[in-house]
Amino acid sequence: MNIIWYLLVAIAVLVAAFSGTMQTTTDAALDSAKVAVELSIGLIGIMAFWLGLMKIAEKAGLIQSLARLLRPIMTRLFPEVPAEHPAMGSMISNIAANMLGLGNSATALGLKAMKDLQEINTEKKSASNAMATFLAINTSSVTIIPATVIAMRASAGSTHAAEIIGPTIVATLVSTIVAIAATRFFQRFVPAQGKDPVDVPIKPDSENGEDN
Amino acid sequence: MADSLQMILTEASAWAIPIIILAILTVGMLRKVKVYETFVEGAKEGFQVGVRIIPFLVAILVAIGMFRASGALDIMIRLIDPLLSLVGYPSEALPMAMIRPLSGSGALGVMSDLLATHGPDSFIGRLASTMMGSTETTFYVLAVYLGSIGVRRSRHTLAACLTADAAGLIAAFIVVKLVF
């Protein structure tokens, strides 16, 4: 991340110097900083809303039943995560929200899942294998209904606005499969720098949610 | 047909959240959960998460904003373009593929531009639409998700995500080419 961040900025300044776009680059930097804060603040309400709802779902045992239902798939995708851990439930809810195209709500649930995954992460400053897999699935976009795209096509005068659903699902499926394969493949080359995951005390209870 | 399908889809997403809310609250009540107190207790954390992601989001969005505004992205597109035109990839749709992992609003802008210029039912229009729907703003997601829990070392996450993005974009191209 350090190198990429540096390269993005350094190349931008270099190119700006040669093509006379220094002023627009400056504006973009300051504008983006502002937008970043607006985005984060905008997310607070939605975060609060979904975290509240998720807490109820957790206490009512709904998340756990959902997790149990998808257990065969989830334990295979995330072998490091104990089957009963709340992270399973929150990852499923995030993926489901993404499938429905719920945008910011999916983000809120995804951040909850990351927090749950961090609980069982042995090396807190470093992404665990489970996190990498979860993020790769997440960014490969598991959309079923690309609602925004369909709406934009319709307003652009498309005669078959929804015809891209099929191709989108196929492309999504390919990228998700590649995402899972890629994390499996790459994780061999980047050791977690930690102890063996086996000797970590695992908190299996999912009854009362998180404890901080 | 497409219109009614679209109506059903729009309706379905409008109904999804209210129904989920109602279902969770109802099951909660039936299982004797104090729904109101529990909701408030969970919601409290929303603020902290929102604030915690600010520095990470600023860092990533500033870098991407500068990269785009300086014209560096355009140069990169111009460099890659000749390679991709070899396989019949339209150069008009290349900005879409390049911007998609960096910026969601940027990609939406490029897509609406392509839809307006080439028409939504053209090859380029369909390709841009499929790309938009089948990939995500990887850099944003990684910065926010990892930032929210204070992870600094992303290990293989970025490599895996970008590989998946590339696969998704290539798949979008091939599928659109085959189907239409």
Side-chain angles (χ1 to χ4, degrees), chain A residues 4-5 12 21 32 48 52 60 115 118 125-127 129 139-141 143 152-153 158-159 163 165 172 175 187 190, chain B residues 9 31 39 43 45 54 59 61-62 69-70 108 112 120-121 126 129 133-134 136 149 152-153 155-156 158 161 164:
Chain A
I4 289 166
W5 196 62
T21 48
S32 308
K115 193 171 157 250
Q118 181 72 322
K125 292 266 171 223
S126 187
N129 287 344
T139 60
S140 75
S141 170
T143 331
M152 284 181 70
R153 288 172 57 77
S158 170
T159 45
E163 69 181 0
I165 292 181
T172 288
S175 70
Q187 74 189 23
V190 274
Chain B
L9 294 179
R31 300 208 179 148
F39 180 87
E45 288 165 40
I54 289 179
L61 290 189
V62 165
S70 69
L108 264 183
S112 70
D121 300 327
R126 285 166 173 155
S129 311
S134 63
E136 255 287 348
I149 50 165
R152 301 293 156 86
R153 230 177 117 247
R155 293 173 64 224
H156 56 304
L158 185 63
C161 290

Side-chain angles (χ1 to χ4, degrees), chain A residues 32-110:
Chain A
S32 308
K34 213 175 101 195
V35 168
V37 176
E38 286 164 5
L39 271 175
S40 315
I41 301 289
L43 206 58
I44 291 178
I46 302 165
M47 275 301 298
F49 171 71
W50 281 107
L51 288 177
L53 219 52
M54 282 290 282
K55 194 88 174 182
I56 300 174
E58 228 172 76
K59 283 211 177 152
L62 278 170
I63 306 287
Q64 294 86 328
S65 346
L66 193 64
R68 216 164 297 133
L69 204 68
L70 293 173
R71 190 180 189 153
I73 307 172
M74 293 301 280
T75 46
R76 241 162 241 139
L77 281 176
F78 304 98
E80 293 95 346
V81 181
E84 295 296 329
H85 196 272
M88 289 297 203
S90 43
M91 285 194 286
I92 294 171
S93 20
N94 162 267
I95 294 170
N98 264 327
M99 283 183 172
L100 295 170
L102 298 184
N104 279 338
S105 307
T107 308
L109 297 169

Side-chain angles (χ1 to χ4, degrees), chain A residues 158-182:
Chain A
S158 170
T159 45
H160 302 286
E163 69 181 0
I164 47 99
I165 292 181
T168 302
I169 292 176
V170 175
T172 288
L173 217 60
V174 170
S175 70
T176 305
I177 292 166
V178 171
I180 296 163

